[in-house]
């Protein structure tokens, strides 16, 4: 598998396009539909689904346009299925004072549950990793994991937004640390890292 990274929108949120031989998965299309669409057209493979690690506004801004253009389903944790259409819950209302627009996603999502999932030619594990938000999910593939805003290179996710909780977040990070230490971590913002590196260098751990 190949992982393509696009850092999008005013907060430079990472959108991931995961590529197999014949198909793609999109994770967290936060903004800039045109850039995402251009890359998908260049790769010229079937998009199986849109996955959301969580539903904060900077991770969901291009969902409606992509879902409509590609005719694919959107998958999210049950805890946040209503946050997509609620600017107060997804945080976009709070940031209006910074000049950002409210985000309302109207696509009806499918629900993801922890455990093994198959979508087209992709098989992966889903881990519930709350703390940054109540429905935060981690998607675990062969040798890498897409973790949203749970863990960053030398950092951790913020817990001052709706239903965030630091103790819960640290419990989720402890669960991530049980994965093989060579697992590559793709976070919601910033560069990729590994669990081995974070174990040795992350001041929060």
């Amino acid at each position: 598998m190949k992982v393509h990274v696009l850092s999008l929108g005013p907060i430079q949120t990472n959108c991931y396009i995961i590529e197999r031989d014949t198909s793609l998965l999109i994770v967290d299309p936060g903004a800039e539909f045109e850039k995402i669409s251009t890359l998908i057209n260049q790769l010229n493979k079937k998009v199986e689904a849109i996955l959301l690690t969580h539903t904060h506004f900077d991770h969901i801004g291009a969902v409606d346009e992509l879902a409509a253009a590609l005719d694919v389903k959107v998958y999210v944790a049950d805890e946040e299925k209503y946050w997509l259409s609620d600017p107060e819950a997804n945080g976009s209302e709070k940031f209006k004072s910074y000049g950002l627009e409210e985000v309302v996603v109207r696509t009806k999502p499918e629900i993801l549950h922890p455990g093994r999932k198959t979508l087209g030619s992709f098989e992966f594990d889903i881990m519930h990793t709350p703390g940054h938000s109540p429905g935060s999910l981690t998607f675990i593939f062969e040798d890498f994991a897409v973790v949203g805003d749970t863990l960053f290179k030398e950092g951790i996710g913020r817990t001052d937004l709706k239903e965030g909780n630091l103790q819960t977040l640290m419990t989720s990070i402890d669960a991530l640390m049980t994965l093989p230490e060579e697992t590559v971590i793709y976070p919601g913002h910033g560069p990729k890292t590994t669990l081995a590196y974070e174990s040795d260098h992350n001041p929060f751990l």
Side-chain angles (χ1 to χ4, degrees), residues 14-16 18 24-30 47-55 59-60 63 66 72-77 84 110-112 117-119 122-126 137-141 144 146:
N14 290 335
C15 171
Y16 294 103
I18 304 171
L24 308 170
L25 285 176
I26 303 172
V27 184
D28 290 357
V47 176
E48 301 288 357
I50 297 170
L51 306 180
L52 301 177
T53 61
H54 63 294
T55 59
H59 292 253
I60 63 173
V63 165
L66 280 171
V72 294
K73 293 181 179 180
V74 178
Y75 291 84
V76 68
L84 288 165
E110 302 289 324
I111 302 303
L112 285 175
K117 182 72 173 177
T118 299
L119 287 171
F122 290 93
E123 290 188 14
F124 56 98
D125 290 304
I126 302 166
L137 299 175
T138 290
F139 306 122
I140 305 165
F141 294 85
F144 67 91
V146 182

Side-chain angles (χ1 to χ4, degrees), residues 58-174:
D58 56 316
H59 292 253
I60 63 173
V63 165
D64 276 344
E65 287 179 285
L66 280 171
L70 300 170
D71 190 25
V72 294
K73 293 181 179 180
V74 178
Y75 291 84
V76 68
D78 189 50
E79 292 85 351
E80 295 182 27
K81 61 186 176 184
Y82 297 118
W83 287 31
L84 288 165
S85 59
D86 184 345
E88 189 278 327
N90 66 43
S92 57
E93 183 179 283
K94 179 177 180 178
F95 288 88
K96 283 176 64 178
S97 60
Y98 295 90
L100 302 179
E101 296 182 358
E102 286 188 347
V103 177
V104 177
V105 173
R106 305 192 184 282
T107 304
K108 184 178 179 180
E110 302 289 324
I111 302 303
L112 285 175
H113 301 283
R116 193 72 171 168
K117 182 72 173 177
T118 299
L119 287 171
S121 61
F122 290 93
E123 290 188 14
F124 56 98
D125 290 304
I126 302 166
M127 181 186 292
H128 185 210
T129 47
H132 175 67
S133 70
S136 287
L137 299 175
T138 290
F139 306 122
I140 305 165
F141 294 85
E142 295 166 355
D143 56 357
F144 67 91
V146 182
V147 303
D149 290 359
T150 296
L151 181 66
F152 301 113
K153 185 174 183 179
E154 300 181 14
I156 61 174
R158 62 190 293 176
T159 56
D160 61 333
L161 300 175
K162 183 178 175 67
E163 297 185 36
N165 184 283
L166 179 58
Q167 183 176 351
T168 302
L169 178 67
M170 296 311 297
T171 299
S172 294
I173 292 172
D174 286 343

Side-chain angles (χ1 to χ4, degrees), residues 8 29-40 61-70:
L8 305 172
E32 299 186 73
F33 163 77
E34 293 80 7
K35 286 187 179 180
I36 303 171
S37 182
T38 296
L39 177 56
I40 291 169
V63 165
D64 276 344
E65 287 179 285
L66 280 171
L70 300 170

